[in-house]
Amino acid sequence: MSYLFMKAEDIIHIKEKLNGNSELQQTLKNKADTLMQTPPLSVTFHKSPAASGNSHDYFSEGPYWWPDEKNPGGPYIRRDGEVNPNRFNHHFEDMQTLSDVIAGLAQAGLFLESDEYMQKAVSLAEIWFVNKATKMSPHLEYGQAVRGICDGRSIGIIDTAQLIKVVAGLNLIEQTGKFTEQIELVKDWFRDYVYWMNHSEKGLEEKNYFNNHANWWNTQAAVFSAFAGDDALMNECFEKYRNDVIPNQTNNEGAFSDELTRTISYFYTLFNLEACAIICELAYHKGVDLWNFITKEGKGIKKSISFFKPYYINPFLWPHQQLNAHKGVMREWLPMRLAALHFCDAELRRANQFRRKDMKPFTATCNLGLLDLIQE
């Protein structure tokens, strides 16, 4: 298997950058040494209210659902954009930690040439995905449940978008020729999971959803199937991006129509752009150009980036609702970094540099790992 998200020359360039800066190299080592302290993680370590009673089943509750003050003890009610801090979130948080750690250790292991870091990443993956006593069931039947309404929803599938980091990290390790047997067993889990995504009732409902959920289903399915070696499904996802996501989710200006209606529309616009950027980047490394794809109406990611660019440069110009003004507003985002690269956009590059000027190296993450170790 080839690299899914990088080219060999990108890796050489980043290694040269690190080797030429001992302070930066030490900062990455310090980051990796901290990640090495991460304990084992598993859904089985936190008992959940999942209806199945199976400790291996992932469970989460919808973030925007709250108790109804007018009907205490009754079904929860939705408050879009307002996160309920008292929901069951242990499995999501542990998956998030797992994904960040595996990606970070894999990147550090590759660029610092450390088997120790890569071994730790693989060991954490084995606990979550392979070992019989601790592995997560390869489905999300109980994702984003709502108290008093349902035991799980199709839109819970978006929770596993963070596992793209796991795939990106293990793919880097795999290219070194090490730990291949262990990684193959992790691939078995992803084969089972992507099959469930593409055949179960909840999976198909999410696949055919109308907003960022369908986009993230498609991006996840593309990445997971590419990792698992299912090129047929991966290519189907590329076609869905061309024939469904871009034509039906973007308007003639390039905006994501439904995301503009959200209470945190700035965040959701960038969030949806990230799903597009990841599948475009995967396709690019598979020899398919989705970055420059346009429909007959002129729609495509380039147009969507162009629509959003003025607001990325100056968020205060954003004319739509953004309840939590700080959420996602000022950090650097992966789609804008990759767009600056693919479209040779100096303005975007300067905007990205401005957004990270006060960030310490190797603190910003994205759905492909540590942002500082993604080509720009």
Side-chain angles (χ1 to χ4, degrees):
M1 175 181 285
S2 60
Y3 290 110
L4 295 180
F5 295 107
M6 301 193 82
K7 295 183 290 188
E9 51 263 42
D10 296 328
I11 291 169
I12 292 170
H13 173 74
I14 293 172
K15 281 187 175 181
E16 289 175 346
K17 180 180 177 181
L18 288 168
N19 290 336
N21 188 330
S22 58
E23 183 179 353
L24 192 64
Q25 193 175 55
Q26 185 61 47
T27 302
L28 178 57
K29 185 179 185 304
N30 293 343
K31 172 73 174 183
D33 288 343
T34 299
L35 297 178
M36 287 288 288
Q37 306 308 309
T38 305
L41 297 162
S42 165
V43 294
T44 64
F45 296 168
H46 290 285
K47 182 175 175 57
S48 81
S52 65
N54 186 340
S55 64
H56 295 270
D57 289 345
Y58 175 94
F59 178 83
S60 67
E61 292 186 287
Y64 303 144
W65 292 82
W66 293 74
D68 185 353
E69 294 179 357
K70 298 178 180 179
N71 183 22
Y76 274 25
I77 58 173
R78 188 170 184 265
R79 288 156 52 177
D80 187 36
E82 299 179 49
V83 175
N84 183 346
N86 298 317
R87 71 196 188 283
F88 182 94
N89 206 36
H90 296 297
H91 292 172
F92 180 85
E93 289 174 345
D94 284 353
M95 184 189 287
Q96 191 170 53
T97 299
L98 175 88
S99 302
D100 285 337
V101 172
I102 288 176
L105 285 174
Q107 289 173 302
L110 177 69
F111 294 121
L112 299 177
E113 298 180 356
S114 168
D115 286 2
E116 182 183 14
Y117 295 154
M118 291 189 282
Q119 173 69 71
K120 175 70 173 182
V122 171
S123 295
L124 288 170
E126 287 181 300
I127 293 166
W128 190 279
F129 299 105
V130 178
N131 295 353
K132 186 175 181 180
T134 54
K135 68 182 292 187
M136 172 184 160
S137 303
H139 65 72
L140 242 68
E141 289 290 342
Y142 308 106
Q144 295 209 14
V146 180
R147 297 189 200 187
I149 296 177
C150 64
D151 296 326
R153 296 179 294 161
S154 63
I155 63 174
I157 291 171
I158 206 164
D159 286 7
T160 52
Q162 57 198 332
L163 294 183
I164 292 171
K165 298 177 208 176
V166 171
V167 167
L170 295 182
N171 173 249
L172 290 180
I173 295 174
E174 188 178 27
Q175 301 314 304
T176 69
K178 299 170 183 177
F179 310 107
T180 54
E181 292 183 9
Q182 297 96 315
I183 292 173
E184 191 61 36
L185 294 176
V186 178
K187 287 183 181 182
D188 287 340
W189 187 94
F190 279 93
R191 290 186 186 101
D192 291 341
Y193 181 56
V194 81
Y195 181 88
W196 176 84
M197 286 177 64
N198 202 33
H199 290 84
S200 68
E201 181 179 348
K202 286 187 173 69
L204 293 174
E205 183 179 340
E206 183 77 341
K207 179 179 183 178
N208 296 308
Y209 216 70
F210 61 92
N211 63 3
N212 70 83
H213 282 274
N215 196 8
W216 276 107
W217 182 99
N218 197 52
T219 294
Q220 288 187 74
V223 173
F224 299 160
S225 58
F227 181 57
D230 187 349
D231 286 352
L233 179 55
M234 177 191 72
N235 285 313
E236 285 180 26
C237 294
F238 294 164
E239 285 301 303
K240 180 175 173 63
Y241 172 84
R242 291 189 189 99
N243 299 323
D244 181 14
V245 173
I246 289 298
N248 295 325
Q249 292 198 24
T250 62
N251 63 24
N252 290 332
E253 293 180 325
F256 295 105
S257 302
D258 188 73
E259 310 313 326
L260 296 183
T261 69
R262 303 298 296 271
T263 60
I264 47 175
S265 59
Y266 189 97
F267 167 80
Y268 271 110
T269 295
L270 275 166
F271 184 56
N272 214 19
L273 270 175
E274 182 139 340
C276 292
I278 290 172
I279 196 170
C280 287
E281 191 66 4
L282 173 66
Y284 171 75
H285 290 283
K286 290 291 186 178
V288 178
D289 188 4
L290 294 183
W291 281 105
N292 292 295
F293 163 77
I294 57 172
T295 68
K296 62 182 180 181
E297 296 83 15
K299 298 179 178 182
I301 190 172
K302 189 171 186 178
K303 189 164 193 175
S304 294
I305 292 288
S306 295
F307 162 79
F308 194 73
K309 187 169 84 168
Y311 309 115
Y312 188 70
I313 293 172
N314 185 354
F316 297 102
L317 297 175
W318 185 245
H320 306 283
Q321 189 174 12
Q322 175 66 23
L323 271 185
N324 303 311
H326 66 282
K327 184 171 183 178
V329 168
M330 285 310 299
R331 68 178 174 90
E332 183 183 7
W333 279 74
L334 175 68
M336 310 314 267
R337 173 175 282 222
L338 292 177
L341 172 69
H342 285 281
F343 302 137
C344 301
D345 192 318
E347 279 189 306
L348 266 184
R349 186 169 285 113
R350 285 193 295 271
N352 287 327
Q353 291 168 346
F354 177 79
R355 282 169 171 257
R356 65 173 180 266
K357 67 182 177 66
D358 296 324
M359 294 286 292
K360 294 180 179 179
F362 311 120
T363 55
T365 63
C366 65
N367 273 301
L368 297 182
L370 295 171
L371 194 56
D372 289 325
L373 295 176
I374 303 298
Q375 64 272 33
E376 63 171 328

